[in-house]
Amino acid sequence: MKSDEIKKGPQRVAHRSLLRCLGLSREELSRPLIGIVNGFNEIIPGHLHLRDLTQEVKAGVYQTGATPMEFPMIGVCDGLVMGHEGMRYSLPSRELIADSIELMTRAHCFDGLVMITNCDKIDPACLMAAARLDLPSIVVSGGAMLPGRLGGQCIDVATAFEAAGRLADGAISPKEAEDVEMAASPTVGSCAGLFTANSMNCMIEALGMGLPFNGTIPAPYAARRRLARQAGKAIVGLVERDIRPSAIMTRQAFLNAITVDMAIGGSTNTLLHLLAVAQEARVEVNLDDFDRIGRETPNLCRISPSGNHHIVDLHEAGGIPAVMALLAQKGLLDLDGISVAGTTIKEAIGDISILNHEVIRPFEKPYAPEGGLRILFGNLAPNGAVIKTSALSPGWKGHKGQARVFETEEAATDFVFAGKVGEGQVIVVRNEGPKGGPGMREMLVLTSALAGMGLSEKVMLITDGRFSGASRGAAIGHISPEAAVKGPIAAVRDDDVIELDLESRKLTLHLEVSEIEARLNTFTPLQRDLSAGFLRRYAERVGQADKGAVWEL
C-alpha cells in the first residue's frame, strides 16, 4: 500500500506516533488510508450539506475495512460572484483546487481518494486531480437543489437573475422581484437546472467516475446519503483491485461523456472542463470531437434554462443511466468500459428504462436532430467558439448585425441596463478571456438582463469570456484566440457587420483579411492592474479556451 511509506518499518516510529495521536489504533493503521476530500463550507449553497455526506462516505469506508482521513478544499460560488470582480477568481480556482488535492494526497501517501463536491469549477478540479494522481478515486456530488414554486410555476436561480432584467425594464415591480428572490432557491444543493454544476455532476457519472445517479439525485433526498455511503464502500474495492482513473477515463469514456452532454444539452462550460480533464488524463480530445459528436447526437432533453424541466425531473425520468442506455441502444455509446462501481458501465447502470418521455425524448421525437451545443468557426473565431443551441428557439437560424464593442463586461452591462441596446445589434465584449480577464468571467447578469427584456434572441452577444450554464439566448462564448493575444475579436470596431450562420456553424466578421491584420497590428490589449496577487500569476500561465484554459508549464 502507498500509505505504508508513512506507517511501516522501524524508521517510521515518529510517524506512527503522530498518527496515533489522531486516535488511530494499530488495526486502523494496518488498513488502507483513504483521503476524504470534503468540500463543505458555509458560503456555497451546494456545499452547505457536504459535511453530512462526508460522514456517510467515511462510514462506508470504515464499514468496508479501510481508514478514512478527511481534509478540506476551497470553493467559489459562481452565483454569488456573478457580475463583479469576484468572478475573475472562479475559473482560476479550478487549478488551485486540483493542485491542493494533489499536494495533500502526495504528501500524506493516501491509498485512495473520495472527493465530495458539487459546484461549477470544483467538480472538474476533482476530476483533474484524480487524473493527475491516478490513485483509485471516486467523485461524489452533493446533488441538485429542488426548484422553487411561485404562482403555481417551478422557478430557479435563473428566474431570479432574469427578474433583475425585468425589474430594470419595468416589467415587474420591486415586490414581484422580491417574491422571486424568496422562492427561487428553496433547498441546499447545486442550482436546480442543468447549469454548469449539474452538467458537470452528470459528466462525472457519464465518465464512469461517479456511481449511477450521481448526477441527478436531489440534495435533500435520502438516496443521496445512501449513494455517499456506497461510494465509501466502493473506494475500498477499487483500492484492493488497484482500479485507477487511467483505466476509467479513457478516450472512449470522454467520447461517451461528450455524447451524453450533447443529448442532455449541458452547459457550454463543459467544453472547458472536459478538455482540461482530458489533458490531465493524457487523453487526446479536442473541439473537433465535440463538433463531430454534436452533429451525430440528437438533443433529447430540455432542462432549465433550455426548458421547463429541472434536475429532479431528469432523475425521476431515469437519470443519466436511462439516457446512456438509450444512446447505447442507438450505437452512440460504448458501455463496455469500467466505472468506479468496479464493473462495466453497462453492468453498473443495470436494467433501466425511461419513465417520462417528455423529459427524455425518444429518438423518433427529439427536441432537435443535433446536440445541444454547437461548435463555431470562422474568421472571427479561427480556433473555435461555442453556442448553446438547446437554449434557443427552434426557428432561430442565425443573426447578422452591426457590432457595438465593449472592452469590459461592466461597460456592456451598464449599456444594457440603461436601455440603450437595440434589436439587431451584435454586442461584442472582449478582454474577458482567460488571460485578458483574467479568469474568463461568466456573464449571466448580462444574458439574464437581455432575456428579462425580451431581447435574448433579437440581439447577439459574443465574447472571449464565457457564459453561465444558466444563460439562454444568442450568446456565443469562448471566442478563441482571445483579444489579449490579438485574436480577431480584437479587430472589431463599432458598426462592423458580424454574421452567424448556425447551419454552417460559421461566425464571420465582414472585413477583408488585410483590414483585420492592419487593425490587429495597432491593437493594444486592455491593461489591468493586477498588482502582485494570484491573478497576475494566473494570467501569465493560462492557455486559451479551445485547449481548456489550463495552466501551461
Side-chain angles (χ1 to χ4, degrees):
M1 292 186 292
K2 180 68 175 175
S3 60
D4 287 348
E5 295 183 22
I6 63 168
K7 66 185 186 183
K8 276 200 172 182
Q11 71 274 36
R12 297 296 185 241
V13 171
H15 300 68
R16 288 194 296 274
S17 176
L18 291 170
L19 290 168
R20 289 296 189 96
C21 82
L22 299 175
L24 297 180
S25 67
R26 179 180 298 175
E27 179 189 356
E28 288 166 330
L29 284 177
S30 70
R31 300 171 174 180
L33 299 185
I34 308 299
I36 310 296
V37 191
N38 182 0
F40 165 80
N41 62 57
E42 294 183 343
I43 189 66
I44 304 177
H47 286 227
L48 185 64
H49 62 304
L50 296 190
R51 191 155 49 188
D52 294 337
L53 293 184
T54 298
Q55 294 305 312
E56 298 290 351
V57 171
K58 290 162 69 174
V61 170
Y62 204 82
Q63 289 169 7
T64 319
T67 300
M69 306 194 77
E70 177 185 339
F71 63 91
M73 63 178 162
I74 64 168
V76 171
C77 178
D78 278 24
L80 290 174
V81 302
M82 197 71 65
H84 59 87
E85 286 296 306
M87 178 50 82
R88 299 197 190 284
Y89 292 87
S90 176
L91 184 59
S93 73
R94 186 187 70 182
E95 318 304 307
L96 275 181
I97 294 165
D99 283 357
S100 65
I101 295 172
E102 175 196 357
L103 289 171
M104 288 292 291
T105 303
R106 294 281 192 218
H108 298 105
C109 300
F110 293 118
D111 297 303
L113 284 178
V114 181
M115 293 166 273
I116 302 102
T117 174
N118 212 24
C119 291
D120 298 292
K121 314 309 157 299
I122 310 157
D123 286 353
C126 291
L127 289 173
M128 291 166 70
R132 186 186 304 173
L133 291 162
D134 203 27
L135 287 174
S137 301
I138 296 179
V139 183
V140 177
S141 301
M145 79 172 55
L146 296 173
R149 291 192 68 82
L150 183 64
Q153 300 293 317
C154 283
I155 65 172
D156 55 37
V157 72
T159 316
F161 273 102
E162 292 185 11
R166 298 179 66 201
L167 181 62
D169 202 37
I172 59 173
S173 68
K175 175 60 170 61
E176 289 172 312
E178 185 179 19
D179 290 343
V180 173
E181 174 185 327
M182 295 299 293
S185 303
T187 73
V188 296
S190 49
C191 299
L194 191 59
F195 313 142
T196 303
N198 288 320
S199 294
M200 286 309 302
N201 287 338
C202 292
M203 294 300 96
I204 290 166
E205 186 178 339
L207 278 169
M209 288 298 294
L211 293 173
F213 300 103
N214 176 79
T216 58
I217 299 173
Y221 282 20
R224 179 58 63 179
R225 285 177 173 268
R226 290 194 290 270
L227 180 139
R229 194 178 312 126
Q230 183 59 38
K233 295 178 180 180
I235 188 62
V236 181
L238 295 181
V239 170
E240 290 173 347
R241 297 170 60 190
D242 196 29
I243 297 176
R244 299 168 181 258
S246 56
I248 297 172
M249 288 194 283
T250 62
R251 174 168 166 79
Q252 184 57 55
F254 280 97
L255 298 183
N256 282 353
I258 295 169
T259 304
V260 172
D261 196 17
M262 292 295 176
I264 65 176
S267 166
T268 54
N269 288 309
T270 55
L271 272 73
L272 282 178
H273 299 322
L274 289 174
L275 289 168
V277 176
Q279 288 187 62
E280 293 285 2
R282 295 179 173 83
V283 172
E284 180 61 36
V285 176
N286 55 45
L287 288 184
D288 289 338
D289 292 312
F290 284 87
D291 183 46
R292 174 180 55 80
I293 292 172
R295 294 172 188 267
E296 298 170 351
T297 307
N299 179 211
L300 305 177
C301 303
R302 287 287 168 95
I303 312 296
S304 176
S306 302
N308 295 323
H309 300 134
H310 291 84
I311 294 297
V312 64
D313 301 308
L314 178 57
H315 179 66
E316 293 174 355
I320 297 303
V323 174
M324 294 185 75
L326 177 60
L327 292 169
Q329 288 172 12
K330 299 299 181 180
L332 296 178
L333 290 188
D334 181 347
L335 302 186
D336 291 334
I338 196 166
S339 81
V340 293
T343 65
T344 65
I345 297 172
K346 184 176 182 178
E347 291 169 329
I349 64 177
D351 186 13
I352 185 76
S353 58
I354 296 170
L355 301 177
N356 186 323
H357 291 282
E358 272 305 300
V359 177
I360 305 173
R361 288 275 185 93
F363 268 69
E364 296 73 29
K365 189 185 175 184
Y367 282 102
E370 297 185 355
L373 302 175
R374 193 160 296 189
I375 309 303
L376 310 174
F377 292 97
N379 70 342
L380 190 52
N383 291 350
V386 62
I387 187 170
K388 186 172 182 175
T389 51
S390 61
L392 289 163
S393 300
W396 200 89
K397 301 299 183 184
H399 185 93
K400 183 176 182 180
Q402 291 182 305
R404 183 68 170 83
V405 182
F406 300 92
E407 306 299 337
T408 65
E409 177 191 355
E410 287 85 353
T413 302
D414 290 345
F415 180 79
V416 170
F417 272 90
K420 297 179 179 179
V421 64
E423 293 185 16
Q425 287 183 321
V426 179
I427 299 173
V428 179
V429 184
R430 62 191 178 200
N431 301 303
E432 294 289 1
K435 284 184 178 293
M440 206 176 179
R441 288 193 289 180
E442 294 179 348
M443 301 183 189
L444 181 57
V445 171
L446 188 52
T447 57
S448 296
L450 291 170
M453 295 174 181
L455 295 172
S456 63
E457 295 183 3
K458 296 177 181 177
V459 301
M460 189 164 70
L461 176 59
I462 70 171
T463 181
D464 51 9
R466 58 199 177 93
F467 299 108
S468 164
S471 293
R472 62 185 177 95
I476 300 168
H478 306 197
I479 298 285
S480 189
E482 63 177 301
V485 296
K486 293 193 174 183
I489 191 173
V492 183
R493 295 178 182 172
D494 284 350
D495 299 324
D496 286 344
V497 176
I498 295 174
E499 181 177 5
L500 167 64
D501 184 334
L502 201 56
E503 183 66 25
S504 66
R505 294 169 163 79
K506 192 170 183 181
L507 185 62
T508 304
L509 172 61
H510 285 282
L511 288 177
E512 296 295 330
V513 173
S514 58
E515 176 64 17
I516 293 175
E517 291 176 348
R519 292 185 186 184
L520 292 178
N521 287 335
T522 61
F523 177 77
T524 301
L526 183 68
Q527 299 298 309
R528 301 187 190 276
D529 180 13
L530 300 178
S531 64
F534 172 70
L535 287 182
R536 178 182 61 80
R537 301 196 301 276
Y538 179 82
E540 289 171 353
R541 294 183 56 188
V542 71
Q544 291 299 286
D546 63 299
K547 303 297 183 183
V550 297
W551 274 349
E552 297 176 338
L553 298 177

